[in-house]
Amino acid sequence: MSELTSNDTAPRRIPDRLGSPLRARLLSWEMLLLAVAVAIFIANSLASPYFLDAWSLSDLTFNFTEKALIALAMALLIISGEIDLSVASIIALSSTLMGMAVQYGVGTPGLVAIGIGTGLLCGAFNGLLVTRLGLPSIVVTIGTMSLFRGISFIILGDGVYKGYPSSFGFFGQGYVWWVISFELALFLVTAAIYFFVLHKTSFGRRIFAIGNNHVAAQFSGLRVGQIKFVLFCLTGLMSGIAAVLLTSRLGSTRPAIAQGWELEVITMVVLGGVSILGGAGGILGVVIAAFIMGLMTFGLGLLNVPGIVMSIFTGMLLIIVIALPILFRRLRNAKPA
Amino acid sequence: MKALLKQREFWLLAVIVAAMWLVSLRSPGFIQPASLANILNDTSILIMLALGQMVVILTRSIDLSMAANLALSGMVVALLNIAFPGLPIPVLVLTAAVFGTLLGAFNGLLVWKLNIPPIVVTLGTLTIYRGMIFVIAGGSWVNAHQMTDAFKALPRGSFGGISLLSWFAILVVGLFYLLMTRTPLGRSFYATGINPTAATYVGIDVGRTRFIAFCVSGMVSGVAGYLWIARYAVAYVDVAGGFELTIIAACVIGGISIAGGIGSVAGAVLGAIFLGVVNNALPVVNISPFWQMAISGLAILLAVIFNARTERKRGRIILKQAEHAA
């Protein structure tokens, strides 16, 4: 990703003293996001009397959990300095192969294995091309994005796969306890695992090291290629899981399934404070960003705002949230001079 | 001759010619002049857009908002055409160009003045521009019967056996060739991409060059917006949906390095023509058009593997020359 940077000519700003921990915590990205989330939540509950209801709050989680699951792995991948634009196409291919298996009478456990396995293999394919052949990930995954969804189109054409077994419906429609859906529970558990891996293990530190300076990381004895390969596999795996959930929720497969999700997933990750240039970011921000996007889509939906107009808000949110800290920093730097 | 064999444009041309020859074995009509003119006509808009994207990619940036810009500019001129049917077509084309440039300039300003990575900026503006189409059109479509005949006629007219749309593309290719090879601005796009630090030392404002590159891609998208809407005689929110990636695919196949600084007008044009030939050949050889997506995906992967190898080789050769000099 570093080749797409625009600030490689600007000198890197080195802080001359460290801020106090409390102040740093108050000004942190996560707090800013949390404030935005709370603001949207309050605005929603004022705007619509139907918003503050356990079941409608539960419903709103369905429109982001699948994307957010992919965003967790994508965050790690982007922190390591790579990107995967093929995630939505992996969903399409996984879903198509699951649909195909249904025609041969494969049961629910088999379908889940096929869906997740396909995702893992697609991720491994991306990872091999990037790490073994040393190709830029943005181009490789633009290519595999066409390739994976293209295979779905070859298999399905303009057709549709239906007839998933009823037990398969649990993953996308079932509830674990009261209003907590299986999808939400899975997302929260997975987010906790990703938080632990990225922030509490040496594997996580290695991802940051690679993203900050992959040459230095290589000289420090890190297996850069191997770690990046694992991250591509993880992203593929999460896309496979998302494919299982989405297919189960919709109950049908078309080749255009999840079209355009790659951009929404990346928006979620960047909004969550992960630097698109690699080397910085955290899981907590991504989780809050996922909730922000879910809250906003759902709230605007309650107000009968069409989906396409919501995308204006998503786009502006992305640009403003990134531009504001840059403007503030510039103002603060300008003052002493 | 040896130099020619080293050029990736030559190999791409050879692949295209070979593909066309193979298809013509099955159906000789494919390489008749009328069929070739048809392929050129189908590919014209992609050629123009690929050239605009090339300039941006050369400066180490990327413009994901081109297709959305195209759709929005197209909708704006379509609505103008309904509101003021008397407006002459050149005025509408100019409006599309200016409007597209403004949208591109907005991208460019964010990249230049705020230093936000281009991929993030254009990801955001891509969704904003698409949403704005819905807002300005009130969610409705503009259909053929609402447009004036003059509006629809321009790209469909023909001159000398090929369509005016194709002539438009040829004109744009010529202009880009002059811009990239004969002007300081064209050279500064390359300099900015190949080594931004060195470019700064020789007095090129890297940020400003990137800004201009985004204006260029915006202008091309604007004009292409009018041509697209006039050609298909319909304007709606999802016009050219997902086309931004086809444009980038044409550039990658044409050998334009996503790392910046490497690429040529001929490459971008051939990359676009390759995709056009594939799209037109599939129905002729009785392959379902559903294969099209997978084939272009495979082409992108093969092209990037091929490009990476030639770029690496070139690096070694330069080192050898340096050793000889010493």
Side-chain angles (χ1 to χ4, degrees):
Chain A
M1 284 309 301
S2 56
E3 57 267 24
L4 292 171
T5 65
S6 59
N7 50 6
D8 35 18
T9 49
R12 185 169 277 192
R13 204 178 71 87
I14 299 163
D16 51 355
R17 83 186 82 134
L18 296 170
S20 71
L22 180 67
R23 193 164 160 240
R25 201 166 291 170
L26 281 177
L27 284 174
S28 76
W29 189 264
E30 282 81 4
M31 288 311 287
L32 178 71
L33 285 178
L34 202 58
V36 172
V38 169
I40 297 179
F41 190 87
I42 293 173
N44 276 344
S45 46
L46 290 179
S48 167
Y50 307 107
F51 179 74
L52 273 183
D53 173 79
W55 284 103
S56 55
L57 291 178
S58 162
D59 276 351
L60 87 81
T61 60
F62 280 103
N63 64 37
F64 70 85
T65 37
E66 291 136 9
K67 289 167 207 157
L69 276 169
I70 305 177
L72 295 173
M74 182 76 86
L76 267 55
L77 193 60
I78 292 183
I79 290 173
S80 83
E82 302 289 343
I83 198 163
D84 187 349
L85 294 172
S86 71
V87 286
S89 300
I90 296 179
I91 294 184
L93 185 55
S94 293
S95 186
T96 304
L97 293 182
M98 281 189 283
M100 212 165 141
V102 166
Q103 316 304 312
Y104 293 100
V106 177
T108 299
L111 290 180
V112 174
I114 288 172
I116 296 178
T118 308
L120 187 60
L121 283 179
C122 289
F125 183 67
N126 283 333
L128 272 183
L129 287 176
V130 171
T131 56
R132 288 280 152 181
L133 299 179
L135 305 175
S137 57
I138 185 161
V139 188
V140 165
T141 55
I142 284 177
T144 53
M145 175 178 168
S146 281
L147 182 65
F148 296 153
R149 199 183 284 280
I151 297 173
S152 291
F153 269 107
I154 292 173
I155 296 174
L156 255 174
D158 50 5
V160 58
Y161 278 136
K162 279 185 193 160
Y164 290 96
S166 56
S167 59
F168 185 67
F170 172 77
F171 303 106
Q173 300 162 15
Y175 289 86
V176 178
W177 177 73
W178 191 40
V179 295
I180 308 291
S181 64
F182 175 75
E183 289 200 358
L184 182 62
L186 182 67
F187 170 63
L188 292 177
V189 171
T190 317
I193 296 172
Y194 271 89
F195 181 86
F196 179 78
V197 168
L198 183 64
H199 297 294
K200 305 286 174 201
T201 66
S202 65
F203 183 75
R205 298 310 300 166
R206 286 175 191 168
I207 296 173
F208 281 107
I210 292 171
N212 272 310
N213 190 338
H214 70 102
V215 179
Q218 184 103 49
F219 280 119
S220 317
L222 297 189
R223 294 183 178 172
V224 174
Q226 200 183 47
I227 291 172
K228 282 186 176 174
F229 178 74
V230 169
L231 292 180
F232 273 104
C233 290
L234 262 184
T235 311
L237 180 80
M238 297 310 286
S239 309
I241 294 174
V244 171
L245 298 178
L246 181 64
T247 311
S248 154
R249 186 158 65 90
L250 300 177
S252 68
T253 298
R254 285 174 207 280
I257 192 171
Q259 192 120 47
W261 275 27
E262 59 281 336
L263 298 185
E264 284 185 58
V265 168
I266 293 167
T267 304
M268 219 176 249
V269 173
V270 173
L271 192 60
V274 172
S275 162
I276 197 86
L277 313 175
I283 290 296
L284 194 59
V286 176
V287 173
I288 303 175
F291 274 94
I292 287 183
M293 285 180 68
L295 280 168
M296 205 167 72
T297 342
F298 191 75
L300 292 173
L302 280 180
L303 298 176
N304 284 326
V305 175
I308 184 77
V309 178
M310 287 180 201
S311 66
I312 300 185
F313 288 93
T314 321
M316 290 205 306
L317 192 68
L318 177 69
I319 290 180
I320 291 172
V321 166
I322 298 208
L324 272 185
I326 296 174
L327 282 174
F328 274 132
R329 210 179 308 147
R330 197 162 290 173
L331 284 177
R332 214 185 319 161
N333 285 359
K335 236 178 243 165
Chain B
M1 188 66 200
K2 221 175 176 185
L4 191 65
L5 284 178
K6 268 187 194 160
Q7 296 240 320
R8 92 193 91 219
E9 286 84 0
F10 171 79
W11 287 106
L12 186 54
L13 186 63
V15 169
I16 293 173
V17 170
M20 293 176 80
W21 177 70
L22 278 175
V23 175
S24 75
L25 290 182
R26 180 111 179 222
S27 125
F30 191 67
I31 47 172
Q32 293 298 310
S35 163
L36 293 182
N38 191 30
I39 295 175
L40 180 62
N41 189 39
D42 270 351
T43 320
S44 293
I45 293 179
L46 181 57
I47 291 177
M48 290 183 244
L49 292 169
L51 288 170
Q53 182 71 268
M54 174 190 76
V55 175
V56 175
I57 294 182
L58 281 179
T59 66
R60 288 198 186 182
S61 304
I62 197 159
D63 189 350
L64 294 173
S65 72
M66 283 187 91
N69 182 340
L70 176 159
L72 179 55
S73 305
M75 180 58 95
V76 166
V77 290
L79 290 174
L80 272 180
N81 184 243
I82 294 178
F84 308 102
L87 273 185
I89 299 306
V91 173
L92 286 180
V93 176
L94 197 68
T95 312
V98 171
F99 189 78
T101 310
L102 286 178
L103 295 182
F106 181 65
N107 288 332
L109 270 182
L110 288 171
V111 170
W112 179 21
K113 291 297 177 191
L114 292 183
N115 252 335
I116 309 178
I119 189 168
V120 178
V121 168
T122 55
L123 198 58
T125 53
L126 147 77
T127 56
I128 295 176
Y129 296 166
R130 280 265 174 226
M132 274 163 68
I133 305 171
F134 184 93
V135 173
I136 62 165
S140 57
W141 290 38
V142 177
N143 290 308
H145 66 89
Q146 294 167 284
M147 301 172 186
T148 62
D149 287 333
F151 184 83
K152 289 176 283 186
L154 181 60
R156 292 149 187 247
S158 93
F159 176 76
I162 60 173
S163 66
L164 283 181
L165 180 59
S166 308
W167 281 113
F168 226 99
I170 292 169
L171 176 74
V172 170
V173 172
L175 287 177
F176 266 92
Y177 181 75
L178 290 179
L179 171 71
M180 299 314 288
T181 57
R182 295 286 180 272
T183 66
L185 179 64
R187 305 316 295 169
S188 69
F189 289 135
Y190 283 101
T192 298
I194 204 88
N195 191 338
T197 315
T200 309
Y201 279 127
V202 297
I204 294 170
D205 186 334
V206 169
R208 197 168 149 270
T209 310
R210 282 191 179 128
F211 170 73
I212 296 171
F214 276 101
C215 291
V216 170
S217 77
M219 186 193 285
V220 172
S221 310
V223 174
Y226 161 71
L227 293 170
W228 184 296
I229 301 297
R231 181 177 180 220
Y232 296 103
V234 61
Y236 55 98
V237 171
D238 278 327
V239 162
F243 207 65
E244 53 275 343
L245 295 171
T246 311
I247 303 167
I248 296 169
C251 289
V252 170
I253 293 173
I256 289 145
S257 167
I258 212 84
I262 301 171
S264 69
V265 170
V269 172
L270 288 172
I273 289 179
F274 176 84
L275 289 175
V277 167
V278 169
N279 290 353
N280 279 278
L282 290 181
V284 174
V285 292
N286 258 337
I287 295 176
S288 143
F290 291 118
W291 281 72
Q292 185 189 316
M293 204 179 203
I295 291 180
S296 63
L298 215 53
I300 296 170
L301 291 180
L302 291 176
V304 69
I305 292 171
F306 185 76
N307 289 345
R309 288 184 56 178
T310 48
E311 271 162 36
R312 213 171 294 155
K313 261 186 212 151
R314 214 181 48 168
R316 287 208 188 108
I317 288 164
I318 288 169
L319 274 178
K320 263 183 202 162
Q321 281 169 344
E323 274 166 23
H324 284 305

